[in-house]
Amino acid sequence: MAGKVFFSVTMSLDGFIAPDSPEDLMGQQWMELQQWVFPQRFFRENLKLGEGGEEGLDNDIVRETFERTGASVMGKRMFDAGEQAWPEEAPFHTPVFVVTHEKRDPWERPGGTTFHFVNDGIETALDQAREAAGDRDVRIAGGGATILEYVNAGLIDEFSIALSPVLFGSGIRLFEGVDAARVVLEPVRAEPSPWVTHLTYTVRER
C-alpha cells in the first residue's frame, strides 16, 4: 500500500519559512527559526554532530519524520542551497528527486542518499519518489514554491508545521499564492514544546 505525501517545515509566527535570498539560508535569522532542531539527539546523530542532545517531544518528532520518509522531492532552489551546505554524507539517507530543468546524471552521496534530477514536472517526480519509497511516505522537502505547487495540484495528503516564536518580517511565505478555494484542512494534532508548537493537518479537496 502506497504511503502518504506530506511536508514538514518550520515556520515563523508571521508565516515565513525561509529568507528571500538563498545566500541567507544559513544566516542568523534562519538559524533562529530552526534553533529548536539543532539540540535534538536524533538530529545531532543523523548529521554526526557528536553525542548527547535533548530528548522528548521535539526529538521524537524529528525521528518520526525521518523514519516515515522513504523518498523526498525538492525544488532546484533548495537543492542548490543544500549542495553547498550539506555535509558529504547528506542527511536524507534515501533517494531524493529534484524538480529541475537542468539535465544531470544522478548524484550519489555516502550514506544512502542519491539525488535524481527530474526534467518533466512535479507529477513525474512524485511518481518516481512513490516507487522508490515503497510503503513508506514521500516527503516534499521544499522549498516554499515547490511545496505550493504540490498543494495547489491536490497532491498533498498531510503536513506538519513547527511554529517557531520568531518574526521574519519578509521572506518566503509558506502559503503565498495558495489555491484556498480547493483546499480544506482538518486538524490532526497540536502539541506545544518548550521550543515550538507542532501543528499537523490532513488535506482534502473542497
Side-chain angles (χ1 to χ4, degrees):
M1 182 177 179
K4 294 179 179 179
V5 179
F6 79 103
F7 67 84
S8 178
V9 297
T10 302
M11 186 176 75
S12 69
L13 281 176
D14 50 347
F16 297 96
I17 61 171
D20 277 317
S21 170
E23 289 74 27
D24 294 330
L25 268 179
M26 299 298 288
Q28 180 179 352
Q29 192 177 43
W30 187 87
M31 296 291 283
E32 290 176 359
L33 178 72
Q34 301 288 351
Q35 64 183 340
W36 71 276
V37 77
F38 295 112
Q40 305 310 318
R41 175 184 286 272
F42 185 86
F43 180 85
R44 292 180 57 80
E45 290 174 350
N46 190 29
L47 268 73
K48 294 182 169 49
L49 299 178
E51 296 182 357
E54 296 185 5
E55 297 187 28
L57 174 64
D58 293 325
N59 188 63
D60 290 345
I61 287 175
V62 174
R63 186 182 65 252
E64 289 165 8
T65 301
F66 177 85
E67 290 178 348
R68 69 183 286 193
T69 302
S72 296
V73 176
M74 69 179 59
K76 182 64 160 52
R77 182 179 187 270
M78 180 177 178
F79 173 79
D80 286 345
E83 188 176 14
Q84 306 302 318
W86 293 318
E88 183 180 12
E89 187 173 312
F92 302 96
H93 307 291
T94 63
V96 179
F97 297 86
V98 181
V99 181
T100 178
H101 296 296
E102 178 187 5
K103 294 190 182 300
R104 179 171 168 178
D105 291 334
W107 188 42
E108 186 174 349
R109 311 303 297 146
T113 302
T114 299
F115 295 93
H116 303 270
F117 301 89
V118 183
N119 304 129
D120 46 355
I122 63 169
E123 293 194 13
T124 299
L126 180 56
D127 288 343
Q128 293 182 21
R130 282 187 190 275
E131 183 174 354
D135 59 358
R136 295 166 73 191
D137 296 337
V138 173
R139 181 179 184 181
I140 309 303
T146 301
I147 288 172
L148 186 68
E149 281 192 82
Y150 279 97
V151 172
N152 284 344
L155 297 172
I156 298 292
D157 300 311
E158 180 181 291
F159 67 85
S160 295
I161 292 171
L163 190 61
S164 180
V166 173
L167 297 174
F168 259 42
S170 64
I172 296 176
R173 285 190 184 275
L174 177 57
F175 292 115
E176 187 74 46
V178 70
D179 185 359
R182 71 176 296 179
V183 176
V184 176
L185 305 181
E186 296 179 354
V188 174
R189 69 181 186 181
E191 296 178 286
S193 81
W195 290 94
V196 293
T197 301
H198 297 279
L199 305 171
T200 301
Y201 301 88
T202 57
V203 183
R204 61 179 177 84
E205 292 199 53
R206 190 180 299 277

